[in-house]
Amino acid sequence: MRLSRVVGPALPRALRRTTAGVAALAAAGLLATVAPSALAAPSAPAPALAAPDLPLANVKAHLSQFQSIASANGGNRAHGRPGYKASIDYVKGKLDAAGFTTTVQQFTSGGATGYNLIADWPGGDTTKTLMAGAHLDSVSSGPGVNDNGSGSAGVLETALAVSRAQLKPAKHLRFAWWGAEELGMVGSRHYVNNLPSTERSKVSGYLNFDMIGSPNPGYFVYDDDPTIEKTFKDYYAGLNVPTEIETDGDGRSDHAPFKNVGIPVGGLFSGAERAKSSAQAQKWGGTAGQAFDRCYHSSCDTTSNVNDTALDRNSDAIAHAVWTLATDTPVPPGDVYENTTDVAIPDNGAAVTSTVDVTGRTGNAPAALKVDVDIRHTWRGDVVVDLLAPDGTAYRLKNSSGNDSADNVIASYTVNASAETANGAWKLRVQDVASQDTGYINSWKLTF
Ligand code: TRP
Ligand code: ZN
Ligand code: CA
């Protein structure tokens, strides 16, 4: 909490926050010269239909049910054990009541019968089917509430939200709960192997959720299909939550069989047995040097082993992705040029720059050049941001505004750069024009 702050140059109050004020500042020579155009417009392509905010209480109620099922069945929900079938019956009951067409697919593994549950939402273009799934089995040593009651509950609550909204998506929607993942993705592989190739080619994407409520959470996005990945990353950028690429073994969950036959995949993961680094603890909170999930594959993976914030965000992210990917026609990302090296921004000091080298293009930059900026700062009103074309032409992205005390500039701008040669060294120029609060350029990128 701060008691007072210094606002840059002394100015009549009325000039501080208005566009007229900006013009006056420029006229008075107080701002760097910028391109003649007005401020670049932050791009805000509102999706046709916004996904609902899933009630965390509903997601947690499903976890309580999985816990009770395990407790009543020898402490687990593992393949071949009664707790698994009871889990299938619970999820199926909810989906049937909500109007889904459900199918239980049986298979055999290790001499025991296994079950996948498939739930189709009637309607939508079946030649473009979007699937979302989670494994429903636990290991035999515990109730599997985070692994993977969490993903199962998030996908279930998303499906129930589709029903509550009576969604009429462009794409056909299919949800899945897999058996025997813990024995090596047996259920999901069985499903994919038994899907005729004509049916396979109709699956436009598969979204996987395995461990999304880890108690010491990270926010990992699978690095697979670029459109799916971008959909999740955009969601987290909107929450101001940094993400990392999931690198903990690409083939470790039920997306692998889909990926292996060429179906675009993506997903979320909040971490398992690996330890959170201190850099990760700094950006996400939690405990450095401790596993993301200390109860991974053990008896303590109970309802106490869940971080509510991670569970809530990741469940909402599932709904966001299903709504966005099934109701919009997402534009695939273009060629991205990015600089992720941090650059400190001196307090009330000189402008700093970060460079992105664009090579291999012909002609001019696009009329709608997308500039994504991620600046971490404790008072973003201090910060002035320009994009500099290779020839030095400045495009103002953001002015200072003394009263804007919020943190960080994490924004997407669209610049008409059609007068600029595409190839060359583009720079993001950032200046902090008021004392006290400071920050750094975290990353920025250009999408051509
Ligand atoms: N159920 C997975 C497993 O036991 C959990 C897991 C670990 C995971 N690492 C992952 C899931 C990476 C997705 C991505 O192996
Ligand atoms: Zn798992
Ligand atoms: Ca400052």
Side-chain angles (χ1 to χ4, degrees), residues 221-234 245 266:
V221 178
Y222 299 3
D223 182 18
D224 276 292
D225 178 69
T227 303
I228 297 172
E229 183 183 343
K230 181 177 184 300
T231 304
F232 287 122
K233 285 179 165 174
D234 284 351
I245 295 303

Side-chain angles (χ1 to χ4, degrees), residues 130-133 155 158 206-209 212 219-245 264-269 313-325 330:
L130 178 67
M131 291 189 67
V155 173
T158 298
Y206 171 69
L207 313 178
N208 192 62
F209 305 95
I212 60 166
Y219 294 91
F220 298 99
V221 178
Y222 299 3
D223 182 18
D224 276 292
D225 178 69
T227 303
I228 297 172
E229 183 183 343
K230 181 177 184 300
T231 304
F232 287 122
K233 285 179 165 174
D234 284 351
Y235 180 76
Y236 279 99
L239 292 185
N240 241 330
V241 174
T243 59
E244 284 186 17
I245 295 303
V265 302
L268 299 175
F269 176 55
R313 289 171 172 169
N314 286 327
S315 299
D316 290 341
I318 302 174
H320 170 80
V322 165
W323 255 252
T324 306
L325 294 168

Side-chain angles (χ1 to χ4, degrees), residues 135 147-148 181-182 210-211 253 297:
H135 75 85
D147 182 12
N148 184 33
E181 185 274 350
E182 299 291 3
D210 186 356
M211 305 181 74
S253 192
H297 284 187

Side-chain angles (χ1 to χ4, degrees), residues 347-348 377 382 432 434-438:
D347 188 24
N348 199 13
H377 199 281
D382 289 3
D432 178 321
S435 54
Q436 283 188 268
D437 288 270
T438 60

